[in-house]
Amino acid sequence: MAKKASKQTIEELSQVKYVGPAKAEAFVKELGIGSIEELYEASKNGKLEKVSGVGAALSKKIHKAAGEALKATGPAEVAEEPAKKAKEAQKKAKEKKAKEKQEAKAKEAKAKAAEKEAEAKKEAKAKEAKAKEEAKAKAVETKKKAEKKAKEVKEKVEKKAKETVTEEVPPTPETARKRAPAKPAARTEDRVEQFIATLRCPACGHDEFDRGATTLTCTACRREYNFHNGVADLAPPKPSGRSVTQRIMESRFYARFYEDVMRPKLTGVVSDRSLSEEYALSSEMLELDDNTRLLDVAAGTGNFTRYFAQQLNEQGAGDDSLVVGMDLSWPMLETARTYLRRDGLDEQVFLIRGDATRIPARRAAYNRLHCAGALHMMKNIDEALRNFARILEPGGICVIGTFILGDGMMRRLVKRAAELPTQFHWFSRDELHQRLRRAGFEVVEDSVAGDAITVKTRRT
């Protein structure tokens, strides 16, 4: 904005070198400069170049001359400029030093953190090594305990097996009396009612029956089942699919020679234990007592069933105990009934014709369950195990004898290849344990002999 030039102002500005009266008047009029200080600032900012005839070089010269003029007159702002610059330089130097100090501290902290992390890793590694050593020592100790326990079980089994073996020398009357089995409990009406109370209709799942002379009739669906001489035919209307091996075992020819020929030979091939030792081991694991309610699934000709009944007789078990054998094969059950009469146990043991995957028994009807030489042939293994869990009361004992793959790659491959045509499943030990746990069992212990395994579990 144009400003009226005073003579005094023009004279003051004219005193600055390179300005002169004409330029001084132009600076006042065109830029409104009214003092040497303003001239100094305008030249510093390049405003003088707006005036005609003033270029950048002249503007710099005027700026320098104005500064010298101000120094001569002693204005504080110009006089203090070098000190100000020095102060700013000192401040920058201080800030730089502080920054370097901060960076040094950060570097030191980082080094300490890295050192601490290295120490932590070293300590963790030492702890891991110590844990591994402890685990190794614990595994060795566990193995020793397991071996000791297995040895004790084996000794017990051998001892029981010896007790059950018939003497080759004909016994004297005195020894015969000593070895004579206890008299089995008679099939009282209470025992029959106790047995019927365990049953469930395989057709509708109802668990109450009307009892006739030789029949049981479901009170819900009115389906009628044969029940005569302690044998109840409770096979479902449509039994689950059976394998080729199962169908062979259901033949009369096989049933006739099963107990004396077929089963002992099979046991001799796959197991390091004799059949007598298998009986004793299963009995030991079942923990038979006066309150035993036992279902022997896939009982076949009743070889294990009879052994358990005889053990209960020797213990003096009363009417509270119950022994039931179940199988789907009529020829097997007929042979079992013949053997029960031969051994004087037909009034004590009941038989059921039933399917292991649809057991005709109510929930928690039994506190003991046994299944030997059959699980590996069942078409639906997991369904069978769930049925085992269903009919056992919580805490009830389930003992299963079956076969495993064993050791050796070639043996395993041959067994797996034979599974499809025979429908005979070879378990791995871990697989069997996992299936049992999924079905609702806790694995207590197992005993392996060759390719045979007997597992003791409890219903959770």
Side-chain angles (χ1 to χ4, degrees), residues 253-269 275 301 303 339:
F253 177 82
Y254 193 92
R256 182 179 175 186
F257 295 102
Y258 172 76
E259 191 166 320
D260 296 328
V261 180
M262 306 299 187
R263 184 57 197 269
K265 282 189 178 295
L266 177 62
T267 302
V269 170
L275 202 49
T301 59
N303 48 340
Y339 288 155

Side-chain angles (χ1 to χ4, degrees), residues 290-307:
D290 292 352
N291 296 314
T292 293
R293 302 189 310 279
L294 167 68
L295 177 65
D296 188 16
V297 177
T301 59
N303 48 340
F304 278 93
T305 318
R306 297 196 309 278
Y307 183 88

